[in-house]
Amino acid sequence: MGVAAGGRLQHWHWGARLNPTDLGIWRPSLDRAFAPVGNDDTGLSFNTLLSEFPFSGSGDFHSPAVEVEHADGSAVLNLRYEAHRLMRGKPGLPGLPALYVETESEADTLEIDLLDETGGLRVTLSYTAFAVHDVIARSARVTNLGNQPCRLRRVLSANVDFGERRSWRWLHLSGAWARERHLHETALRPGVQAIESRCGASGHEHNPFFALRAPDAGEEHGEVFGFSLIYSGNFLGLVELDAMDTARAQIGLGTAGFSWQLEPGETFQTPEAALAFSDRGLGEMSRTYHRLYRTRLCRGRYRDRARPVLINNWEATYFDFDETRLIDLARRAKKTGVELFVLDDGWFGHRDDVHSSLGDWWPYPKKLPRGLVGLAEAIAREGMLFGLWLEPEMISPDSELYREHPDWCLHVAGRSRSLVRSQLVLDFSRPEVRDAILQCLIALLRSAPIRYVKWDANRNLTEIASDGRESARQGETLHRHILGLYAVLEKLTSTFPDVLFEGCSGGGGRFDPGLLHYMPQIWTSDNSDAISRLLIQYGTSLVYPFSAMAAHISAVPNHQVERTTPLRTRGLVAQTGAFGLELDLARCTDAELAEIARLVERHRQWQPLLATGNLYRLKSPFADSESAWMLVSDDQTEALVFHAVILAEANTPLMRLRLRGLRPDWQYRQKGSDLIQGGDALMAHGWLLAPGNDFSAEVRHLVRWQHGT
């Protein structure tokens, strides 16, 4: 960055590390036809200047990063450099999830103040550069220095103006319920290409992430720029290509329906964006995000510890269970080596289906006559931990809580209230609602030995308004709701540090970095079919580590797509993530139970590498009828290589699987075999792939071999 004439903060470079030099000579502001020039004798036009944080109303006709409505109704800004500060370490963002450091030596943070003197508005830009991660964490805060309120219409977290013509490729993760985070890629075209959420959550349809890659960049070579927003509500990510093929990339809070009244002296803080650069392709960008999010976004006891292998009763019983059936399921699971039993939906109020009881968080006597304590003690006698499903953000109209507080949901007075899954959304923007739910949850988690919570949210937000909030501030409701959710999660996770929290929202409808700050794993998708999961987990891995992806073995025919796949394939695909079971073991044969026990034991042996290994994607299920990936330990002494066939073909040509990430000068032995090969040969030539059957999978375990070992 540099301060151009007239105090404009100009963008110069983001990418490969450079020696100190004056890059400003390479970034002229050209005189273009119809480009307005200010009357300050600088000769600069905001419409051609590469801006670090562009604003509206003063001649930049592209997408602004900040847009403000002043008390006089105007929306003109002229932000000029005022001051900057450089500090060791990284400050937190009050009330928001964010990256962190454990020692000051891990990062440096730069803050830059920009001032609109006429409007009395200061924008402070924050940049944290990490010592060992090619990431810059960015955010902004806006302070009203004037004596009248103003209204924020748009405040994004990060903007990057790329100054030269490039044939960029735009990548993002999009889909729908049960097919989340599929990889999509297109060439940039003139105009705006955008992804956004308007559903009140980060959403099933788009993930708060996108990347730009050079046309020659691939999985392990070439330049890639990643944009990831640490937030769980509405978001906006866009790239705008102008008439001169200059690309502007932005990410931040969603603008649809957003407004924020900023009183004199008040400050608004944006969420944080993590911007990652790689000159070694998408693979290195992914590994950068994985290391960063696993170690400096996730927190708590389970950040670095092995997660227990669990069984969830949902697809085994749905709502049809009692204590006896649950204990029988737990007893069978224990014989396979499972460590944690999770009781899913239907245990509370008088809930026999989706039509009642959300908000009434006490045991249903018909199903649990001895309550949660009785069940948890019975599970403990089987030698297992006990976990529980909750949906604390929601309320059923048929509930005691709703009958007592019908105004506690998001709603617009005088208008009907939309139902999804027969439920409404509690208004977490209101302190009294948050406090009541918190007190209830704290009492619940203290009432029994609960060591795991699956936190679900099974609908999007509609009628986003808050009872009693003045009309001028209703545009703040959604963001205040998300801040309220974060406040609840912060209190609960700090009060119960030994509880493993798992996020869920109709599967993967809120799989975002914001939630990972409080919950180290998220239910990746309600679709647990192994073949569907190949695509879902591959796309998710572009940003998120395998340790964050909850993945279970479920029954066949699969309950979502009716596909029948081999148990081995289901197990190997699920082992990649936070591993568990979700099927009725009473319906399994002895041979199937023995195979599940082998998978559980092998997962336990491999868990350190599965959780912390460096990921190399070898074959994409979006490009081929197969998928392959490998995990390599930091010291490169060990690797797990997975390969799956989706649809087999007859009489196919010979195919090789070339590995990556190994030491070329070391020898590797394949466990369970006498085969020893050099790392160089494994990466240059790889293995010949034997013809597979439909839906087949295999895994190979490599360890460094030395003479005498």
Side-chain angles (χ1 to χ4, degrees):
M1 292 169 284
V3 180
R8 279 86 169 202
L9 189 62
Q10 188 177 15
H11 179 78
W12 285 350
H13 174 77
W14 173 41
R17 295 174 185 265
L18 304 178
N19 293 320
T21 186
D22 182 10
L23 294 177
I25 60 174
W26 300 338
R27 293 289 184 263
S29 178
L30 301 176
D31 182 15
R32 301 283 191 186
F34 281 83
V37 176
N39 59 2
D40 52 8
D41 299 324
T42 63
L44 297 178
S45 169
F46 290 150
N47 203 48
T48 60
L49 188 76
L50 299 182
S51 178
E52 188 61 31
F53 205 72
F55 43 87
S56 60
S58 296
D60 185 341
F61 300 128
H62 307 100
S63 300
V66 57
E67 196 167 12
V68 178
E69 181 183 322
H70 300 289
D72 63 3
S74 68
V76 175
L77 284 173
N78 192 353
L79 293 169
R80 298 170 182 255
Y81 168 82
E82 181 186 21
H84 73 274
R85 297 165 296 284
L86 185 64
M87 63 193 81
R88 299 284 283 167
K90 182 182 186 298
L93 299 186
L96 283 163
L99 299 168
Y100 61 89
V101 296
E102 293 185 341
T103 64
E104 287 189 346
S105 62
E106 292 183 26
D108 293 316
T109 297
L110 170 69
E111 290 188 342
I112 304 173
D113 294 329
L114 306 177
L115 178 65
D116 178 78
E117 190 171 358
T118 302
L121 205 71
R122 176 182 289 140
V123 177
T124 300
L125 308 179
S126 176
Y127 304 76
T128 295
F130 292 85
V132 297
H133 305 286
D134 283 329
V135 168
I136 296 177
R138 293 187 55 179
S139 65
R141 61 181 185 267
V142 182
T143 303
N144 185 355
L145 303 176
N147 54 17
Q148 296 187 73
C150 63
R151 188 176 302 278
L152 306 181
R153 296 292 189 184
R154 179 188 186 106
V155 193
L156 302 184
S157 299
N159 178 93
V160 178
D161 281 2
F162 295 93
E164 63 272 27
R165 179 175 182 169
R166 296 191 187 183
S167 300
W168 293 107
R169 303 287 294 179
W170 148 271
L171 291 81
H172 57 94
L173 303 175
S174 299
W177 175 81
R179 54 176 176 85
E180 298 90 341
R181 290 173 303 286
H182 282 207
L183 179 61
H184 294 266
E185 180 177 2
T186 59
L188 283 187
R189 51 169 172 72
V192 174
Q193 290 166 265
I195 52 172
E196 64 178 325
S197 170
R198 298 184 178 188
C199 67
S202 48
H204 292 90
E205 292 189 357
H206 303 291
N207 199 258
F209 160 82
F210 67 87
L212 292 174
R213 73 167 180 88
D216 60 343
E219 188 64 29
E220 298 296 334
H221 65 276
E223 286 192 332
V224 179
F225 299 85
F227 296 74
S228 176
L229 186 67
I230 304 173
Y231 189 63
S232 305
N234 285 358
F235 72 90
L236 174 66
L238 68 83
V239 181
E240 182 173 8
L241 194 66
D242 70 8
M244 301 302 160
D245 283 350
T246 296
R248 169 171 290 177
Q250 299 178 333
I251 196 165
L253 277 172
T255 58
F258 171 80
S259 68
W260 194 277
Q261 186 164 304
L262 202 61
E263 298 292 340
E266 288 185 343
T267 295
F268 179 85
Q269 173 67 58
T270 73
E272 187 167 82
L275 275 58
F277 169 74
S278 166
D279 57 7
R280 288 182 287 168
L282 289 165
E284 186 60 25
M285 179 203 71
S286 297
R287 291 186 288 275
T288 296
Y289 276 125
H290 297 172
R291 290 187 289 266
L292 183 72
Y293 284 177
R294 194 176 63 238
T295 65
R296 292 299 180 265
L297 178 65
C298 293
R299 303 175 298 167
R301 174 185 177 183
Y302 285 99
R303 187 192 76 174
D304 302 318
R305 293 193 182 188
R307 317 273 170 79
V309 178
L310 64 84
I311 184 165
N312 184 299
N313 75 296
W314 179 241
E315 289 195 15
T317 68
Y318 293 103
F319 290 106
D320 182 19
F321 62 82
D322 57 20
E323 184 181 281
T324 300
R325 188 175 182 190
L326 296 175
I327 294 172
D328 179 69
L329 180 61
R331 186 173 292 122
R332 294 173 186 274
K334 178 60 179 177
K335 291 179 180 178
T336 69
V338 169
E339 303 156 283
L340 168 65
F341 180 87
V342 179
L343 174 58
D344 210 281
D345 195 358
W347 61 267
F348 52 92
H350 59 278
R351 190 167 171 91
D352 291 309
D353 51 41
V354 300
H355 300 298
S356 75
S357 301
L358 290 172
D360 297 343
W361 301 112
W362 52 79
Y364 188 4
K366 185 180 81 171
K367 296 181 179 181
L368 303 176
R370 298 188 299 155
L372 290 177
V373 173
L375 177 62
E377 289 176 348
I379 298 297
R381 285 194 292 271
E382 300 298 329
M384 301 175 71
L385 302 173
F386 179 66
L388 198 62
W389 177 96
L390 292 167
E391 197 172 3
E393 300 164 66
M394 306 294 164
I395 185 171
S396 301
D398 179 9
S399 68
E400 296 301 318
L401 183 63
Y402 186 82
R403 283 185 278 274
E404 186 177 352
H405 298 288
D407 63 317
W408 276 15
C409 65
L410 292 171
H411 68 280
V412 177
R415 293 189 180 273
S416 60
R417 304 178 183 192
S418 301
L419 291 176
V420 178
R421 209 169 177 257
S422 298
Q423 62 195 59
L424 298 162
V425 182
L426 286 167
D427 183 0
F428 272 27
S429 73
R430 294 173 59 180
E432 67 272 27
V433 177
R434 297 196 304 269
D435 291 346
I437 299 303
L438 259 174
Q439 290 176 17
C440 176
L441 295 177
I442 289 172
L444 175 67
L445 294 180
R446 286 175 175 165
S447 70
I450 298 167
R451 296 293 298 274
Y452 163 103
V453 168
K454 181 179 179 180
W455 184 291
D456 213 338
N458 278 311
R459 64 155 291 176
N460 293 324
L461 277 59
T462 56
E463 293 85 46
I464 302 175
S466 183
D467 191 68
R469 180 163 291 130
E470 59 184 283
S471 59
R473 290 186 173 273
Q474 287 294 356
E476 304 172 15
T477 299
L478 175 57
H479 184 55
R480 289 189 181 276
H481 176 84
I482 300 298
L483 294 177
L485 169 63
Y486 290 150
V488 169
L489 294 178
E490 183 68 35
K491 178 66 175 178
L492 276 180
T493 54
S494 60
T495 303
F496 299 96
D498 293 331
V499 173
L500 171 59
F501 286 83
E502 176 177 301
C504 181
S505 181
R510 201 164 58 187
F511 201 118
D512 60 67
L515 210 60
L516 282 180
H517 190 62
Y518 307 97
M519 305 180 183
Q521 62 190 52
I522 301 173
W523 183 228
T524 315
S525 175
D526 278 348
N527 185 350
S528 54
D529 170 67
I531 302 305
S532 297
R533 278 298 190 101
L534 287 175
L535 286 83
I536 294 168
Q537 292 173 201
Y538 184 99
T540 305
S541 78
L542 212 64
V543 196
Y544 304 100
F546 280 156
S547 61
M549 301 183 210
H552 297 173
I553 298 174
S554 60
V556 292
N558 176 263
H559 291 191
Q560 290 78 42
V561 298
E562 294 294 321
R563 184 163 28 226
T564 297
T565 54
L567 178 56
R568 174 180 172 82
T569 300
R570 285 177 275 152
L572 293 182
V573 173
Q575 278 188 332
T576 300
F579 183 52
L581 311 178
E582 193 147 346
L583 72 170
D584 187 355
L585 296 178
R587 295 175 178 268
C588 294
T589 66
D590 289 343
E592 289 172 331
L593 291 173
E595 176 65 16
I596 290 172
R598 285 191 292 270
L599 289 165
V600 170
E601 177 58 27
R602 189 162 53 188
H603 178 81
R604 191 172 286 112
Q605 295 171 3
W606 293 346
Q607 194 170 48
L609 185 53
L610 289 166
T612 65
N614 295 305
L615 173 67
Y616 292 85
R617 292 180 292 263
L618 307 179
K619 287 182 177 290
S620 168
F622 294 100
D624 300 297
S625 192
E626 57 182 330
S627 184
W629 63 95
M630 62 186 291
L631 291 155
V632 183
S633 62
D634 281 336
D635 61 8
Q636 296 173 286
T637 61
E638 188 179 13
L640 287 170
V641 185
F642 295 81
H643 178 255
V645 174
I646 300 174
L647 293 177
E649 294 289 344
N651 197 27
T652 57
L654 291 177
M655 299 291 289
R656 290 185 177 273
L657 184 65
R658 293 179 172 85
L659 308 190
R660 299 185 186 129
L662 303 175
R663 279 280 298 265
D665 55 332
W666 284 357
Q667 299 285 307
Y668 291 87
R669 179 174 65 86
Q670 185 176 317
K671 277 204 161 186
S673 165
D674 294 329
L675 182 63
I676 298 170
Q677 295 172 279
D680 52 356
L682 287 166
M683 292 189 289
H685 294 281
W687 294 317
L688 280 174
L689 292 174
N693 300 317
D694 288 356
F695 316 142
S696 60
E698 63 172 329
V699 60
R700 302 190 193 188
H701 187 189
L702 298 177
V703 292
R704 184 189 179 190
W705 180 85
Q706 295 174 287
H707 291 287
T709 61

